[in-house]
Amino acid sequence: MLLSLSLAHPAAALDPDKPFRDYVTDNWGVEQGLPQISVLAITQDPAGYLWFGTQAGLARFDGVHFQRYTRHDASELGNNILALQADGPQRLWVGTARGLVLFEDGHFQSIPASATADAPERSFPVNALARGADGQVLVTGPDGIYVVADKHLQCLHALPGPTLSLLHADDGLWAGSTGSVFHVTGDGIEKYPLPATVRDTSVTALAKIGDKLWAGTRHGLFRLQGHTWKAAGNRPGEAPQAVEALAADRDGNLWVATQQYLQRLHDGMPAERIQNMAGSIAIRSIHEDDTGNLWLGSMIEGVTRVWNGWTRRLSQPEGLNDPLLWSIAAGPDGNIWVGSNNGVYEWQGGRFQHRVGGAQLPQPEAYSLLPEREQTWIGTRAGVAVLRQGRVEQPAVLAPLRNAQINGIVRDHSGRHWFATTQGLYLLDADNRLTHYDEKDGLADARIRLVLETRGNRLLVGTYDGLYEWRDGHLLATGEDTGLGEGIAVTALLELQDGRWVLGSNTDESLRVFDGRRWHHLSHDRGLPANIPFHLAEKDGDLWVAGMQGVYRLPLASIDQSLADPKIPLAVQMVINSGADQGGGQQDKCCNGSGNSRGLLRDGRLWLPTRDGALLVDVVTPQQPFTRKVRIEGLQVQGQWVHPSTGKFQLPLNARSPRIEFSLPTFEAMHTPQLRYRLRGYDDGWREPESPAMRSVSYSNLPPGRYTFEVADFGSSDPQAGMARLQLEIPPRPHETLAFRLLAVLLLAGSIWLGYLGLKHRYKRQRAALERLVQERTRDLQAANARLEVISFTDPLTGLHNRRYLAQQIPADLAFYERDESYRDGSEAVVFALLDVDHFKTINDTHGHAAGDRVLEQLGQLLNELKRSGDYVARWGGEEFLLVLRPLPRGDLGQIGQRLCSRIAEHDFELGNGLHHRITVSVGLIECPLFPAYPQLLGWEQLVTLADRALYRAKSSGRNGWVAYRPAPGAQLPEDLTASSGDPWWLVENGLLEMFDGETRCTIT
């Protein structure tokens, strides 16, 4: 059952019940602003900013920007920064390999050790810092523990050896040294020596959980039991690893970083060892921030944030042999059934149990499921099977479904079974009679995606082309006269608790709500993310929407407000972001397919099928984010930066264009700051930055006066509490003062008043005429430029893009896709499909070139209808067309080629004068990149050349079909080969590519 799963709220510390792979990790490196890739120390100041110490400088991080400090700010920062300790919002202690440095009010100052009778002032490496019970900053030294007094280091506790680590706990101060740990209390200093075999090792890290003290050394991890240290954290027979960092979080997890791995220890649970995963490699510093995020500093990977996230992923470690899932459904006994790419599994007892193999099904992919008490119905891409008492059957009565993709299976209140298929709607009644509904029964498109029975026993049928209701053996189109619109491709349906219906569509990636009288459209212009809804669920007043681009939460109250007033945007919160056009949310992959059994809400968790197992999303209502205070960092005036400390500043005379920088420390991964600013006395209202990451604003040529600049986070629970203010005064120039103006009026009023009025009137007429002329010329020029650009990129016959457009657009698209993880790791690829009309010359010769042109125009329109949002089609030349399909899972070339051939062969083309004609096409296909490990091997023009070769092979093989090239099994490219120019045919000649095509031909009916 589900009791073994625990999804903690992301604001809490890291849940010990979750494996590390289910945490969410985000990484920052030099490219994002770190001074250097090795992060040796981390701390957080009271204002909420994170500080990172590296081998080449210091950085302050607010969640968006890094403020860097290097040796140019203080020479000591050019060495390794070994320790950090915040001491107030404007005060930071920095321990380096050359000594202690204080950063205060924007300035750095070295803090040497006090001179003695035997030695002058000196500095020494500072390995660790801590704060004592009285607030003093404690510093490690070569002969004990030091404190800062009068800008100098003074020895507080002398020890017989160097101090290498510090830990202040409720029971006193613990100090790690060579071969020993010292306990400093009001009663004195007690020594706890390490075992004799490691007496020469250094204790470099200390941590405490409850009454358990842990020590990290160069000879492994030790735990104090009584007065004796015992080795810990090692597997039987394993040599101990040097501990590089050690930290305990608020949930009782002990994190141990060694040279080989990151390890987590928790009482009552097996030790978890993390290797070769993001955030686990060469860790040298560990810190838990005030929102429960764990920050890991690496020697080679910068800094990584680790947080709980909203999800748990169940995949191969939990028993799935094939992690690609298509369907999820609840069994009557409470277990969860999932349909995979190769059979059916049941989630039982905390693991997936394999119930049906793909070879036992009509087709291996279990595309839809309906578990019942005595049987489980399994819909595939080629018919239906039934699992009864451990045996798989294919009922003879369902033989007509064997060539159909089963998108959904539903049992209604009367016990009848409904099958939503690509060849129509099927009804299996209680007497085992099968009835088929398709175009002859009123459907505009026989392809059915899903079936929903409402609480009022109404049966709704969602198709690729509209919504229908089944009534007494008839299918009736519904919604067209109540605002739904025509041709809506239905992808998801849900009946809310209040009786309203919600419909998801891929027509415009939107939602539609039916209130019983009319349908209301919710689209991107109201703030809805671009995401085709695959599954809809309702929980505690929230609508949850899952699709290929992720999962978002939409409060029903927000829908009501937006429907009442369209100017009010929807309060959408991205929860899982798989590439949506809206920021925020956890980066993760979701979801597969549309139809019935595409998701399940169970025990506060949303189960969704993905390419990597089942994704479980916690649907508890999120807590309000922390209220952080926005800080005004500086004011740039006439090229110089100033830092007002009083909240007021008077600009110099003639300085009218200030620039203001501000920051907001926020590390809550689910909360995207919504900063707004205004200059009171100048701005009419609150304004938004040009981008969410923008942290500065400039004003130009302000008039003299007094202003107040305000900036606040409107995404926090209390924007006013965290608001920052800066009062600005802009003095007037002499000629702008009231006295000067009065004097000028007295001197000039009588002598030039009439002339002034005449000139003013004359100049006004001339200026107005000139402005009109300039505006007219500008409009004419803009219109001409726009027409010229459209003509240059458009094929005049079909209205499609041409080769010039492709040469400009495809490189930009590929550069964009390279930022997507799925494209980089090779699981997804761009597809080029080059098609050519078969026997096109016959049309021209028989019916004339005008008829041929009409065929090309209609073919262009048909291809535009077949492509998805984000794909595009261009006329490549003559009767050739090129389709560029945005990234798809690899291996779909056959489906794409077959679909193109079939749809075009089925289309009726008008030749004019009442004549009609059917045509076929030959298609060549190729994936980009061709070899995922060598993404830059071939340019897109070379790939189109291979597609053209495939097209030629399709034509020479009889036409009306498709051919594609793919890497041959076991193909190995030279290791030093990263790019190739010229004709790519050498890949085929050398056996690195193989050709494959469809087994059947499309027929013209």
Side-chain angles (χ1 to χ4, degrees):
M1 297 298 289
L2 304 181
L3 298 178
S4 62
L5 300 181
S6 177
L7 297 179
H9 191 278
L14 294 179
D15 184 351
D17 292 333
K18 291 182 69 170
F20 190 88
R21 63 182 172 83
D22 278 333
Y23 294 143
V24 183
T25 58
D26 304 292
N27 180 263
W28 291 267
V30 174
E31 298 82 359
Q32 290 76 36
L34 271 176
Q36 203 265 348
I37 201 67
S38 300
V39 179
L40 307 180
I42 307 173
T43 194
Q44 187 174 29
D45 65 27
Y49 294 92
L50 281 170
W51 294 83
F52 303 115
T54 74
Q55 291 182 333
L58 178 69
R60 191 199 72 176
F61 187 45
D62 65 1
V64 175
H65 289 297
F66 287 92
Q67 177 66 48
R68 304 197 309 176
Y69 304 92
T70 64
R71 67 181 63 194
H72 300 292
D73 303 285
S75 59
E76 293 82 355
L77 298 181
N79 291 273
N80 292 349
I81 295 178
L82 306 176
L84 294 171
Q85 180 65 51
D87 186 20
Q90 301 287 337
R91 190 176 167 105
L92 181 74
W93 299 93
V94 184
T96 76
R98 292 177 56 184
L100 182 67
V101 178
L102 172 63
F103 178 59
E104 188 173 18
D105 296 330
H107 301 285
F108 290 92
Q109 179 183 358
S110 295
I111 307 296
S114 297
T116 64
D118 299 326
E121 288 186 352
R122 70 193 192 285
S123 295
F124 46 75
V126 176
N127 295 291
L129 297 165
R131 292 196 65 178
D134 56 359
Q136 283 184 307
V137 175
L138 306 174
V139 184
T140 59
D143 51 3
I145 302 171
Y146 284 73
V147 294
V148 178
D150 298 327
K151 302 298 183 181
H152 285 79
L153 285 170
Q154 295 183 358
C155 188
L156 178 65
H157 300 292
L159 298 176
T163 310
L164 303 173
S165 54
L166 291 172
L167 174 66
H168 183 266
D170 294 338
D171 59 353
L173 177 66
W174 297 86
S177 185
T178 302
S180 300
V181 176
F182 295 92
H183 187 200
V184 182
T185 65
D187 298 329
I189 301 177
E190 188 173 3
K191 182 179 180 180
Y192 294 81
L194 293 174
T197 56
V198 292
R199 198 62 58 83
D200 61 342
T201 191
S202 300
V203 180
T204 56
L206 294 167
K208 194 171 187 184
I209 301 177
D211 58 352
K212 298 180 179 67
L213 183 68
W214 304 80
T217 77
R218 296 303 177 195
H219 285 81
L221 179 68
F222 290 86
R223 176 182 166 186
L224 185 62
Q225 296 182 357
H227 282 69
T228 305
W229 291 99
K230 300 290 185 181
N234 297 320
R235 295 173 178 172
E238 180 181 60
Q241 295 284 331
V243 176
E244 304 291 348
L246 189 65
D249 67 24
R250 67 185 68 175
D251 258 1
N253 296 298
L254 180 70
W255 299 91
V256 185
T258 74
Q259 295 175 343
Q260 302 296 326
Y261 52 80
L262 176 68
Q263 185 168 244
R264 175 172 60 174
L265 304 177
H266 192 90
D267 276 353
M269 299 182 64
E272 181 183 13
R273 185 166 292 185
I274 305 110
Q275 290 180 282
N276 301 321
M277 295 177 62
S280 69
I281 302 172
I283 301 302
R284 295 295 183 269
S285 53
I286 307 174
H287 178 79
E288 184 183 28
D289 68 19
D290 57 9
T291 61
N293 297 319
L294 195 69
W295 296 82
L296 303 171
S298 168
M299 279 293 292
I300 59 176
E301 290 188 327
V303 65
T304 298
R305 175 180 62 191
V306 182
W307 56 287
N308 270 331
W310 292 84
T311 64
R312 172 77 189 272
R313 189 173 287 279
L314 307 177
S315 188
Q316 291 174 306
E318 287 74 30
L320 287 178
N321 296 325
D322 191 329
L324 175 55
L325 299 186
W326 291 108
S327 54
I328 288 183
D333 55 358
N335 289 342
I336 307 297
W337 292 72
V338 300
S340 79
N341 211 44
N342 190 23
V344 179
Y345 296 78
E346 184 181 11
W347 176 259
Q348 187 178 37
R351 286 192 63 78
F352 284 108
Q353 309 296 329
H354 199 186
R355 298 303 186 211
V356 180
Q360 298 174 265
L361 300 174
Q363 193 269 346
E365 299 178 34
Y367 201 68
S368 56
L369 290 171
L370 176 62
E372 296 182 329
R373 191 163 301 280
E374 302 295 335
Q375 58 200 3
T376 296
W377 299 82
I378 306 168
T380 75
R381 295 186 187 270
V384 179
V386 183
L387 176 65
R388 292 191 180 101
Q389 298 179 348
R391 297 179 57 188
V392 178
E393 305 172 5
Q394 298 183 37
V397 68
L398 298 180
L401 282 70
R402 289 176 182 170
N403 293 321
Q405 175 175 295
I406 313 303
N407 293 323
I409 308 174
V410 172
R411 180 187 179 102
D412 67 16
H413 71 286
S414 301
R416 298 172 299 186
H417 288 87
W418 299 87
F419 300 89
T421 82
T422 53
Q423 294 182 1
L425 179 68
Y426 288 84
L427 166 61
L428 182 64
D429 62 22
D431 296 325
N432 213 33
R433 293 176 303 188
L434 188 68
T435 305
H436 182 211
Y437 301 92
D438 56 13
E439 290 94 342
K440 70 179 183 302
D441 302 290
L443 293 174
D445 189 328
R447 294 173 299 168
I448 311 297
R449 270 213 174 94
L450 52 88
V451 176
L452 172 69
E453 185 180 29
T454 70
R455 288 188 293 275
N457 299 332
R458 299 175 66 177
L459 196 76
L460 302 179
V461 180
T463 79
Y464 284 58
D465 189 10
L467 180 66
Y468 292 79
E469 181 175 358
W470 184 89
R471 293 183 191 172
D472 300 326
H474 299 282
L475 286 169
L476 306 176
T478 182
E480 294 183 0
D481 57 348
T482 54
L484 182 60
E486 298 181 357
I488 298 299
V490 181
T491 57
L493 274 174
L494 174 69
E495 183 181 21
L496 299 175
Q497 293 297 321
D498 60 11
R500 290 184 292 177
W501 301 344
V502 181
L503 180 149
S505 171
N506 67 351
T507 302
D508 49 9
E509 301 182 342
S510 63
L511 295 175
R512 288 167 170 81
V513 179
F514 183 60
D515 59 10
R517 292 174 298 180
R518 290 199 60 79
W519 287 92
H520 304 276
H521 190 193
L522 304 177
S523 58
H524 308 314
D525 57 1
R526 299 200 194 191
L528 207 64
N531 189 17
I532 300 174
F534 287 167
H535 180 69
L536 304 172
E538 180 185 6
K539 174 68 173 175
D540 296 334
D542 293 327
L543 177 66
W544 291 80
V545 182
M548 185 179 296
Q549 302 303 317
V551 180
Y552 60 87
R553 166 183 166 268
L554 179 56
L556 296 178
S558 174
I559 294 179
D560 296 337
Q561 293 174 355
S562 186
L563 293 180
D565 184 355
K567 295 181 180 179
I568 300 178
L570 294 166
V572 176
Q573 180 189 30
M574 289 301 304
V575 179
I576 307 300
N577 198 323
S578 305
D581 59 354
Q582 184 164 313
Q586 172 184 331
Q587 300 298 312
D588 211 333
K589 290 184 179 179
C590 192
C591 294
N592 282 349
S594 59
N596 294 111
S597 62
R598 292 303 181 267
L600 173 66
L601 184 61
R602 174 66 63 86
D603 297 332
R605 297 181 181 93
L606 195 61
W607 291 64
L608 299 167
T610 77
R611 284 171 288 172
D612 185 16
L615 180 68
L616 277 62
V617 182
D618 196 345
V619 296
V620 296
T621 302
Q623 298 175 353
Q624 288 293 329
F626 280 38
T627 297
R628 301 278 197 190
K629 288 190 175 182
V630 185
R631 177 188 292 180
I632 294 178
E633 297 289 346
L635 177 68
Q636 189 180 47
V637 181
Q638 295 178 328
Q640 300 295 322
W641 284 102
V642 294
H643 303 276
S645 58
T646 62
K648 298 181 180 180
F649 188 79
Q650 178 176 319
L651 275 68
L653 192 66
N654 295 323
R656 300 292 179 89
S657 301
R659 178 186 175 191
I660 306 170
E661 281 199 350
F662 46 87
S663 65
L664 172 66
T666 178
F667 309 103
E668 298 166 82
M670 298 302 293
H671 168 58
T672 301
Q674 300 176 21
L675 292 176
R676 306 286 187 273
Y677 66 88
R678 66 181 178 185
L679 187 63
R680 294 180 62 180
Y682 182 78
D683 290 327
D684 295 332
W686 291 98
R687 302 169 62 182
E688 295 185 18
E690 294 180 4
S691 71
M694 188 173 179
R695 294 293 184 268
S696 67
V697 59
S698 298
Y699 290 92
S700 300
N701 198 26
L702 292 172
R706 294 183 177 180
Y707 306 93
T708 300
F709 178 77
E710 297 177 338
V711 56
D713 179 14
F714 280 75
S716 67
S717 56
D718 188 358
Q720 293 292 328
M723 182 183 297
R725 293 181 175 87
L726 176 62
Q727 296 181 10
L728 298 176
E729 182 177 351
I730 300 179
R733 300 183 179 97
H735 65 274
E736 295 173 327
T737 62
L738 179 61
F740 183 89
R741 291 172 180 171
L742 290 174
L743 179 61
V745 170
L746 292 174
L747 292 175
L748 300 177
S751 59
I752 63 172
W753 181 249
L754 294 177
Y756 168 75
L757 290 178
L759 287 173
K760 181 180 179 181
H761 185 64
R762 176 184 174 187
Y763 291 152
K764 183 177 180 180
R765 291 199 314 270
Q766 292 176 343
R767 183 167 58 252
L770 181 60
E771 288 176 351
R772 286 194 299 270
L773 180 60
V774 170
Q775 291 174 356
E776 291 174 358
R777 297 292 175 83
T778 301
R779 284 194 298 266
D780 293 341
L781 181 60
Q782 291 174 341
N785 288 336
R787 289 193 299 270
L788 181 61
E789 182 175 0
V790 170
I791 292 172
S792 65
F793 289 132
T794 303
D795 174 58
L797 175 63
T798 64
L800 299 177
H801 299 308
N802 57 18
R803 286 200 183 192
R804 176 178 291 186
Y805 176 86
L806 296 178
Q808 172 182 284
Q809 187 64 28
I810 291 180
D813 287 347
L814 296 180
F816 174 80
Y817 295 143
E818 286 171 358
R819 299 196 292 269
D820 182 77
E821 181 179 353
S822 300
Y823 185 85
R824 293 199 309 271
D825 65 21
S827 61
E828 293 185 351
V830 171
V831 174
F832 295 109
L834 187 64
L835 60 89
D836 182 87
V837 179
D838 297 330
H839 305 297
F840 182 76
K841 185 175 183 296
T842 303
I843 299 175
N844 285 334
D845 294 341
T846 304
H847 303 284
H849 288 279
D853 289 346
R854 289 179 61 84
V855 169
L856 295 178
E857 290 175 338
Q858 294 171 66
L859 179 57
Q861 295 171 2
L862 177 60
L863 293 175
N864 258 327
E865 295 170 1
L866 292 177
K867 70 180 183 62
R868 305 167 301 162
S869 175
D871 303 338
Y872 47 87
V873 58
R875 187 179 181 192
W876 189 248
E879 59 268 24
E880 288 187 343
F881 295 82
L882 179 65
L883 278 80
V884 183
L885 308 182
R886 58 182 169 85
L888 292 164
R890 284 188 179 271
D892 286 345
L893 293 183
Q895 297 179 16
I896 295 170
Q898 187 63 33
R899 182 166 180 253
L900 287 172
C901 291
S902 298
R903 288 300 300 273
I904 294 172
E906 295 168 358
H907 191 76
D908 189 16
F909 291 81
E910 297 180 6
L911 303 182
N913 297 323
L915 296 177
H916 295 264
H917 190 72
R918 297 289 181 95
I919 65 171
T920 63
V921 296
S922 299
V923 185
L925 301 106
I926 201 77
E927 290 178 334
C928 173
L930 193 56
F931 295 89
Y934 300 84
Q936 306 300 325
L937 177 65
L938 299 177
W940 72 268
E941 296 96 339
Q942 294 172 291
L943 291 172
V944 174
T945 298
L946 287 174
D948 186 65
R949 298 283 178 87
L951 170 63
Y952 176 81
R953 187 59 178 266
K955 280 192 170 294
S956 63
S957 300
R959 296 182 172 84
N960 186 21
W962 59 269
V963 172
Y965 282 105
R966 63 186 175 194
Q972 296 290 329
L973 293 173
E975 293 183 357
D976 58 348
L977 181 63
T978 59
S980 174
S981 60
D983 191 341
W985 187 245
W986 65 272
L987 292 168
V988 180
E989 295 174 339
N990 287 276
L992 299 177
L993 292 183
E994 67 176 6
M995 182 198 73
F996 70 105
D997 58 10
E999 298 179 356
T1000 61
R1001 295 287 170 186
C1002 308
T1003 59
I1004 305 177
T1005 59

